[in-house]
Amino acid sequence: MSYLLLRNVRLMGGAPVDVCVEDGIITEIAKTIEAPPETKIEDGKGQLLVPGFVDAHMHLDKTFWGLPWRPHQAGPLTIDRIENERRLRREEDVSSEDQAIKLMRQAIAKGTTHIRSHVDIDTEISLANLEGTLAARDRMKDHVTVQLVAFPQSGMLVNPGAADLLDLAITAGADLVGGIDPSIIERDPAGHIDGIFAIADRHGCGIDIHLHEPGNLGGFAIELIADRTRALGLQGKVNISHAFCLGLVDQPYFEKLAGLLADNEISIMTHAPGYIAFPPIKPLREAGVVLCSGSDNVRDAWGPYGNADMLERAMLLGYRSNFRLDQDIETALDITTFGGAAVMGAESYGLEVGNQADFVVVPGETLAEAVVNRPPRTLVVKGGVVVARDGNCLV
């Protein structure tokens, strides 16, 4: 058996305790624990202990992380960025496997233990990006948990043959099927959503749909998604990413949409973008909607920003939501931990006896202070093994 004893840490800002881990599972939490002689001991020095961060929306296959700096070239529209990315893919030889591993290691250094990544599937690249990302996931499987979404970035109906490739992607190892703007990109909202849900129904997998569409147009897509979720009994298996429309519609329509989301157990991912309204966090949580967050694009053809730091993402959620009270800032942290874990269906997640030992030691007096300061992570543990120390990935 392998033993790890973490001394003098404050679980979620509570009183100092010791945490004992045996074979990757938390087996005891107490004020003082006596450990066997062969136990590896880490001194938490009274710092905070939080669950591993969950990056529930990333694009591992797109990143330029670790490559020389590239000035941003795409226009302002979604279709501009899609076309720019296609051009760069044709012109450059970048390994999706190697890039995915670089970004995984960066995420681990920042305390992330779980990632959901969308992977481009289209008739130009076929399953190449998926194959590379699957290989990266296999190489890093002991250090970070990764779910992959087969994502029709260039559309499905407007890209004949893409639907068949999405089917093949799920068979090849993708965990969920994705979708994209059913009206603006696909020009056929019912057709696109029916197609995505048909694939999910055939394979018994979950769904994660990119929805950038604004206002009532996006709201209409949410209504269609809720209808299909209810009809196929997929409650708890559908996530809508971005859903800017929820921050743009009037209050009565927002309340209707929030009710549909809660009733059908459809979760929402928001990364608190800086350029547009986004789903209002507190009203959605009060309505019973589960929220998660993610890095989204990290230094790629879609934008130059991002560093895979989910503690920074929690700060951005709080900052963009005008959260000032400690309890509100802690809500942002909850979205980047327990919210993401719920969306990913992460089993045995948390800081209780019997949970998997995926946790992070962070300097700070309180959780709110840690979110605001975003200090380097002192220790990152995955499955009872130290995978990062003092902001540096060890794997």
Side-chain angles (χ1 to χ4, degrees):
M1 297 185 73
S2 63
Y3 296 90
L4 172 68
L5 180 60
L6 187 56
R7 291 200 182 280
N8 189 23
V9 289
R10 295 181 297 115
L11 274 70
M12 306 301 286
V17 294
D18 292 351
V19 179
C20 183
V21 176
E22 298 180 19
D23 286 343
I25 302 297
I26 299 172
T27 56
E28 186 178 1
I29 300 173
K31 187 173 182 180
T32 303
I33 298 175
E34 296 299 324
E38 65 273 23
T39 300
K40 179 177 176 56
I41 298 176
E42 297 281 355
D43 184 0
K45 300 179 181 180
Q47 298 177 84
L48 302 167
L49 187 71
V50 299
F53 299 118
V54 181
D55 195 321
H57 188 106
M58 187 180 267
H59 292 269
L60 288 169
D61 63 320
K62 295 177 182 286
T63 186
F64 299 148
W65 189 265
L67 298 176
W69 179 261
R70 301 175 181 216
H72 184 64
Q73 300 172 353
L77 303 178
T78 298
I79 192 63
D80 296 333
R81 294 166 185 168
I82 291 172
E83 291 174 353
N84 179 62
E85 184 175 52
R86 283 174 172 169
R87 179 183 62 79
L88 288 175
R89 278 195 324 225
R90 288 190 293 268
E91 294 175 356
E92 314 230 2
D93 182 19
V94 177
S95 166
S96 59
E97 178 179 350
D98 291 346
Q99 290 306 115
I101 288 176
K102 289 177 188 176
L103 191 50
M104 287 181 195
R105 295 187 74 252
Q106 169 68 7
I108 290 168
K110 297 295 187 180
T112 291
T113 57
H114 294 72
I115 293 171
R116 174 180 286 185
S117 176
H118 298 254
V119 181
D120 286 7
I121 307 291
D122 64 37
T123 52
E124 185 174 289
I125 57 172
S126 188
L127 303 186
N129 282 21
L130 177 65
E131 290 163 356
T133 313
L134 284 169
R137 177 171 74 174
D138 186 61
R139 287 170 59 184
M140 299 293 285
K141 63 184 178 182
D142 294 331
H143 315 309
V144 60
T145 299
V146 177
Q147 285 183 351
L148 299 178
V149 183
F151 174 44
Q153 174 73 87
S154 301
M156 183 181 70
L157 301 180
V158 296
N159 189 10
D164 292 336
L165 288 171
L166 292 175
D167 253 319
L168 289 174
I170 302 299
T171 302
D175 303 284
L176 302 95
V177 62
I180 189 167
D181 300 334
S183 295
I184 291 177
I185 298 293
E186 293 281 57
R187 305 291 181 179
D188 183 355
H192 179 75
I193 291 170
D194 284 346
I196 295 301
F197 273 80
I199 293 170
D201 189 40
R202 282 196 295 276
H203 291 276
C205 67
I207 295 171
D208 196 327
I209 298 178
H210 279 62
L211 184 63
H212 308 98
E213 296 172 349
N216 289 358
L217 184 63
F220 176 59
I222 289 178
E223 291 189 56
L224 291 178
I225 291 167
D227 286 344
R228 304 308 187 271
T229 300
R230 181 172 54 251
L232 292 176
L234 290 176
Q235 293 87 346
K237 298 183 70 175
V238 177
N239 181 70
I240 302 175
S241 290
H242 302 306
F244 303 141
C245 60
L246 291 171
L248 296 167
V249 297
D250 62 32
Q251 185 62 26
Y253 194 26
F254 169 80
E255 292 174 0
K256 175 183 176 179
L257 294 174
L260 287 173
L261 294 169
D263 291 346
N264 291 284
E265 300 175 46
I266 299 170
S267 55
I268 294 292
M269 190 295 302
T270 181
H271 69 301
Y275 67 95
I276 194 171
F278 63 97
I281 289 172
K282 290 175 72 172
L284 284 171
R285 283 170 63 97
E286 289 167 0
V289 179
V290 175
L291 278 83
C292 63
S293 190
S295 297
D296 197 16
N297 300 94
V298 177
R299 203 168 298 180
D300 58 20
W302 283 63
Y305 295 101
N307 61 0
D309 185 350
M310 290 307 294
L311 197 55
E312 182 172 283
R313 189 59 51 183
M315 182 278 293
L316 290 170
L317 290 169
Y319 181 77
R320 288 279 283 123
S321 300
N322 196 29
F323 289 168
R324 297 174 184 267
L325 301 177
D326 276 19
Q327 59 263 37
D328 290 338
I329 297 171
E330 290 172 13
T331 294
L333 179 65
D334 185 74
I335 290 170
T336 62
T337 52
F338 288 98
V343 170
M344 285 187 63
E347 297 180 357
S348 301
Y349 178 89
L351 296 176
E352 298 179 356
V353 171
N355 290 155
Q356 184 168 328
D358 296 346
F359 47 68
V360 186
V361 178
V362 185
E365 292 297 319
T366 68
L367 297 176
E369 182 191 18
V371 171
V372 171
N373 286 345
R374 307 169 324 275
R377 314 308 103 97
T378 302
L379 210 65
V380 182
V381 173
K382 175 65 177 176
V385 176
V386 176
V387 292
R389 187 186 301 274
D390 297 326
N392 296 304
C393 182
L394 303 178
V395 296

